[in-house]
Amino acid sequence: MPRKPNNSRQTRALLAAFFDRSQTWQHGYDLSKETGLRSGTLYPLLMRLSEQGLLESRWQEAERPGLPPRHVYRLTKSGLALAREQQELAAIAAERAGALA
Amino acid sequence: MNAAPGRWRRWAVRFAQHASWVLPDARSPWADAMRREIDYIEDDPAALRWALGCIAASYRARLAHRPSFSTRAAWRHVATSGVLMLFIGLALLENAGGQTQSPRPAFDDTTCDLPDVSPEIRPRLRCGTVTVPRDYDNPDAGHFKLAVVVVKSEQQPSRPEPVVYISGGPGSPLTIYAAHQARTPYAPRRDLILVDQRGTGRSEPSLCPDLGSKLLDANLAIAATNTEEALAGRRAVYLACRDEATGRGLDLRDFGTRVTVEDFEMVRQALQVERWSVYGESYGTTVAMTLMALHPDAVRSAVLDSIYPPDPVPLWSTIVSDARDAFFAHCAQDKLCSTSFPDLAGTYQDTLARLNQDPLVVTVPPQMRQRDNRMRITAPLFELGVSNLLYYATAYPTLPRMIQSVHDGDTQGLGTVLVSQLAAAATLNRATHAAVECRDRSHFRKPPARDANALDRMQLYGVCDRWSELGPSPLVPVGTSVPTLVLAGQFDPVARPALSHYVAERIGSNARWVEFPHIGHNVRQFSPCGVKIAADFIDQPEQAPDTSCADRIAPIRFLAKYQTP
C-alpha cells in the first residue's frame, strides 16, 4: 500500500517544529538541531514541502557584517493546516495510548 | 585573527561546493541555502557533518530529478552506493568545470591596439581574446570574447606564476590602461595578466554603453529634489537599458561575480598558468575572494586592496559618514588644518544647511551638458562630491579649503572638481555595474527607504528587483590556506578600516591586515609604501612582509585657507 505523503516520522517532526513557531522564519541549521534531522534528510524534505506549496522561503540578510544572506522558511497556510491536522492526530493518538495504559 | 577555521572547515566548504554542482539547476537556490548555513555553524566537525549531508541531499535531489528514477529507487541507489558516489564526487571536485562541457579554453592572439603604449613597453605586451560561455550551465547559449592583455615582466625570464590584477567597479575597463599598469610592476619578475571582465572595456557584450550619460541627468535630479518622481525617472532609465539588452538577445542572468570568477578560470587555463597571484582592488576584491573560495588550488597568494565589503554591507551613506568624520577628526588634530579650519565638521554641516536653503549656482564646462552651462549645487550634490573626494588621497590637502569655500559662497574651481569626478565616473559601464550588482547583492532588490539619504537613493535600490533574478552570492574564503594580504586606507569611503579588518578576521589566520594612514580607496595607487608591501608579499607570500613604512607615511600637507596649491 502506498505510504501517505508527508506522513513519515521525519516529516512529522519537521512539521511539528514549524507548527510550534508558525509565525517565525526559521533557519536550516536551527531546524536540524531542533528536529535532530541531518542536512541530508532535512533539505530533501524542505525541497519537497516547498514544491508542494506547503512551505515558503526567502533570503534573510545576516545580522552581522561579513556573513552571507541566509535562507529562511515557514509554513504556508496549507502547510500550517497540514501541520495542525497532524498535531491533532498525534494528540488523539496520545490520548488513545493513555487510555490503553 | 580567527584561529578556528582548519582543515575540517575547508573540507566542509569543498563538500558543500560539490553539492552545489550536483544539484539540478532548478534547485540551485537550495544549494546556496545549504552551503551558506556552514558560515553559521561555529563547530568545525559539525560544519563537516553538515556538508556531508548536503552531498547526500544533492545526490538524492539529482537522482530524483531524473525521469528514469523514482524517488524511492533513487534513495535506494544513494543508500547502497553513497560511499562510492562520495569518492566519485571528490574525484570530480577538481574537475568540476568539466561538467559544463565548455570548449577547451584558448588564447587567440590579436594586435595590441592600446593607447599610450611607448616603444619600450610595446614588446612586452601580448594581446588577445579568450572565448567563454555566456552561460556555464548551458554551453549552447553562445559565447563572449574577453579581451586579455599579458604584460611581460621587464626582467626576463619571468617567474612561472604571474600576477592577475582584478579591477573594480563592477564595470570598470582595464586593458586600455595596460601601458600604465606596465610602468609599476606588482612584483619583480612576474608577468601581469589584465582582463576586461565581461561587459566591460573591450570585452563582449557591449551593454548599454550610453547608460552613464543618460543616468547623469537622472542622478542630478535625485540630488536636486530627492523625490519619488526623481527616483522613478532614474529607474526608468535603467529599465530601458534592460529592455534594450534583452531585446538584443542578452540574458542578464549571465552576469555576476560567480560567472566572472569562472571567466577568470577560463583565462588562467587558456594561458596555461598553473597558479597565479591574485591582486583584487575595490570590487575586484569580491572577485578575488570568490576565486579563492572556489579555486583555491590555482591561487598562490592574494592581495585584497580596499575591500568592497561582503553582504550584509552597511548603507553607503553610513560608511561615507564614518570616513568623513574620521577625516574631520584628523583635521582637528593637525596644527595647520585646525588653525585654518577650526571647526571643519561644523562648517561642513553648516554648508549643507545653507545649500538646503539656498543652492549655489556654478558655471560648469560644456561636458556637463547643463543648460547655459550652469548647475545648481544642492546639499546632496555637495555631499556626493565630498564623498567622492574621500576616495582620493591626492584630494585631501585641498578638501578642507574646498568645504570652507563653498560654505563662504565661493564656487570658483568647483565646476572643475565636478567635471573631474564626472570623468572618473564616466569610465564605468553602468549597465554592467547593475548587471553584476543585481545578481550579487540581495539588498538592492528593496526600494530605498522614504527617508533614505540621497547617496543611498543613487544606488541600485529599487532597480534590481526588476532587472534580473538574484544570483548565487559572492563568497568569503573563510579559513583559506591561501596567504592573503589585506590593505586598508584610513579614510576609505567604501570600507572603513574596522570593516575590512573584520573581513580579514573572517578570512582567517592566513590573512594579514595593514592599515595605511592618510589614504582613502585603492591603497596601491596612492601609496608607494603600499606598492612596496604588496610587491614584497607577492614575492614571498609565506613570509610576513615588512610593513613598517605604513607607520611612517607622510602627513597630509593641508593647504591653508587662502594658500594656493
Side-chain angles (χ1 to χ4, degrees):
Chain A
M1 190 176 77
R3 197 170 53 177
K4 191 177 174 185
N6 299 324
N7 199 31
S8 69
R9 181 177 55 80
Q10 293 93 337
T11 310
R12 280 187 274 120
L14 183 59
L15 288 172
F18 276 121
F19 187 75
D20 287 344
R21 287 198 295 277
S22 58
Q23 296 303 312
T24 310
W25 290 95
Q26 301 195 57
H27 304 114
Y29 185 52
D30 296 346
L31 283 166
S32 170
K33 284 193 291 188
E34 186 174 344
T35 59
L37 298 174
R38 298 191 172 196
S39 53
T41 304
L42 173 67
Y43 276 90
L45 291 179
L46 291 173
M47 290 180 212
R48 195 178 73 210
L49 292 175
S50 177
E51 284 165 4
Q52 291 172 346
L54 301 173
L55 191 72
E56 57 183 332
S57 61
R58 67 179 175 89
W59 291 103
Q60 182 187 63
E61 303 212 0
E63 304 87 343
R64 285 188 289 130
L67 288 172
R70 209 171 176 187
H71 222 206
V72 289
Y73 317 93
R74 73 177 181 191
L75 292 175
T76 60
K77 278 186 182 173
S78 322
L80 202 55
L82 176 66
R84 185 176 292 113
E85 182 190 333
Q86 293 203 340
Q87 290 289 90
E88 287 167 358
L89 288 173
I92 292 166
E95 274 180 28
R96 283 179 183 169
L100 291 172
Chain B
M1 293 294 169
N2 183 1
R7 178 177 296 178
W8 286 16
R9 183 163 291 271
R10 288 201 296 275
W11 276 109
V13 171
R14 286 185 170 197
F15 285 154
Q17 284 163 6
H18 181 67
S20 303
W21 291 322
V22 170
L23 265 185
D25 289 347
R27 284 173 160 172
S28 60
W30 289 97
D32 268 342
M34 291 189 284
R35 186 176 44 71
R36 290 179 189 188
E37 287 299 294
I38 289 176
D39 280 349
Y40 293 86
I41 303 174
E42 296 196 345
D43 178 43
D44 283 6
L48 185 60
R49 285 195 297 275
W50 180 266
L52 286 168
C54 294
I55 290 186
S58 300
Y59 272 109
R60 191 176 178 181
R62 186 175 187 92
L63 292 172
H65 206 65
R66 293 175 60 171
S68 57
F69 284 78
S70 72
T71 305
R72 292 182 67 186
W75 180 236
R76 266 202 312 275
H77 186 74
V78 171
T80 53
S81 61
V83 175
L84 178 62
M85 283 199 291
L86 178 61
F87 282 106
I88 292 170
L90 290 173
L92 287 172
L93 193 62
E94 302 303 322
N95 292 308
Q99 291 177 19
T100 62
Q101 297 173 355
S102 303
R104 186 183 175 83
F107 184 86
D108 298 316
D109 285 277
T110 59
T111 54
C112 283
D113 183 18
L114 294 166
D116 305 323
V117 177
S118 64
E120 298 81 44
I121 289 175
R122 186 168 296 281
R124 292 171 50 204
L125 300 182
R126 184 185 174 202
C127 303
T129 59
V130 173
T131 300
V132 298
R134 289 183 178 208
D135 177 356
Y136 281 88
D137 293 327
N138 181 11
D140 298 328
H143 299 90
F144 292 136
K145 281 186 176 177
L146 303 184
V148 178
V149 175
V150 180
V151 183
K152 290 283 179 190
S153 165
E154 205 168 0
Q155 302 88 29
Q156 291 293 328
S158 52
R159 292 181 175 139
E161 291 159 324
V163 175
V164 58
Y165 171 70
I166 307 178
S167 57
S172 294
L174 179 59
T175 60
I176 56 164
Y177 303 123
H180 170 76
Q181 292 281 345
R183 285 186 204 110
T184 314
Y186 283 76
R189 290 193 179 276
R190 303 270 172 195
D191 293 346
L192 174 65
I193 297 167
L194 307 173
V195 182
D196 281 332
Q197 294 165 33
R198 64 171 64 190
T200 72
R202 300 177 305 136
S203 284
E204 294 176 339
S206 173
L207 200 56
C208 307
D210 56 347
L211 181 63
S213 60
K214 289 179 179 170
L215 279 173
L216 174 64
D217 291 335
N219 279 330
L220 288 175
I222 291 175
T225 64
N226 203 6
T227 60
E228 292 303 316
E229 290 72 23
L231 207 61
R234 181 170 175 273
R235 184 167 56 237
V237 175
Y238 270 108
L239 296 183
C241 163
R242 176 204 62 184
D243 292 343
E244 181 198 323
T246 53
R248 288 195 293 122
L250 293 171
D251 188 334
L252 293 171
R253 292 172 301 182
D254 291 339
F255 291 86
T257 298
R258 297 286 280 271
V259 180
T260 302
V261 159
E262 296 314 314
D263 287 348
F264 274 96
E265 256 306 282
M266 293 286 278
V267 170
R268 183 184 69 79
Q269 291 171 29
L271 291 169
Q272 299 180 350
V273 169
E274 189 177 340
R275 291 197 311 164
W276 54 14
S277 295
V278 175
Y279 194 108
E281 195 165 47
S282 189
Y283 162 73
T285 63
T286 304
V287 179
M289 285 194 283
T290 307
L291 195 62
M292 291 161 69
L294 293 177
H295 301 285
D297 295 338
V299 183
R300 173 179 170 267
S301 67
V303 181
L304 306 175
D305 182 345
S306 307
I307 277 180
Y308 180 33
D311 276 342
V313 64
L315 286 172
W316 188 48
S317 59
T318 308
I319 300 175
V320 165
S321 173
D322 287 351
R324 202 173 48 225
D325 289 348
F327 182 80
F328 292 160
H330 182 79
C331 172
Q333 290 175 345
D334 181 273
K335 191 175 173 188
L336 178 63
C337 193
S338 59
T339 305
S340 294
F341 313 101
D343 180 18
L344 187 58
T347 304
Y348 175 76
Q349 291 302 334
D350 198 33
T351 308
L352 290 182
R354 288 181 184 202
L355 290 173
N356 260 330
Q357 290 293 318
D358 192 12
L360 287 170
V361 177
V362 298
T363 303
V364 294
Q367 300 96 296
M368 299 291 287
R369 294 186 294 107
Q370 298 299 299
R371 185 184 296 174
D372 301 329
N373 292 329
R374 290 160 75 82
M375 180 187 274
R376 290 169 77 235
I377 305 297
T378 59
L381 193 59
F382 180 66
E383 192 177 4
L384 178 65
V386 171
S387 308
N388 285 342
L389 289 175
L390 283 171
Y391 279 68
Y392 308 108
T394 45
Y396 295 167
T398 54
L399 182 54
R401 195 180 63 173
M402 201 256 320
I403 292 170
Q404 184 71 51
S405 298
V406 177
H407 176 270
D408 297 344
D410 174 9
T411 57
Q412 192 179 10
L414 195 56
T416 312
V417 170
L418 290 171
V419 167
S420 63
Q421 290 190 4
L422 182 70
T427 61
L428 187 77
N429 183 308
R430 292 277 164 191
T432 303
H433 177 86
V436 173
E437 291 281 78
C438 289
R439 292 287 284 165
D440 283 5
R441 303 277 181 166
S442 58
H443 55 267
F444 286 140
R445 310 194 81 73
K446 297 180 296 189
R450 283 199 170 274
D451 58 348
N453 185 294
L455 294 185
D456 299 320
R457 291 169 83 89
M458 284 183 226
Q459 305 285 305
L460 291 164
Y461 295 98
V463 171
C464 287
D465 58 327
R466 295 174 64 185
W467 179 274
S468 68
E469 296 165 22
L470 183 65
S473 171
L475 302 172
V476 176
V478 175
T480 184
S481 59
V482 175
T484 306
L485 178 68
V486 181
L487 309 180
Q490 183 186 8
F491 305 126
D492 190 344
V494 176
R496 299 283 295 118
L499 191 51
S500 82
H501 186 262
Y502 176 76
V503 176
E505 281 190 323
R506 274 190 48 71
I507 291 171
S509 56
N510 283 316
R512 297 185 179 92
W513 177 87
V514 187
E515 180 179 348
F516 291 77
H518 318 150
I519 299 291
H521 203 56
N522 296 357
V523 170
R524 188 178 180 276
Q525 191 176 341
F526 294 99
S527 168
C529 170
V531 172
K532 179 187 176 303
I533 291 174
D536 290 349
F537 174 77
I538 293 169
D539 198 30
Q540 294 184 304
E542 302 295 346
Q543 290 185 12
D546 176 6
T547 60
S548 58
C549 64
D551 301 326
R552 301 189 299 271
I553 290 189
I556 301 170
R557 298 170 68 88
F558 287 106
L559 290 186
K561 201 166 182 178
Y562 301 109
Q563 188 181 350
T564 50

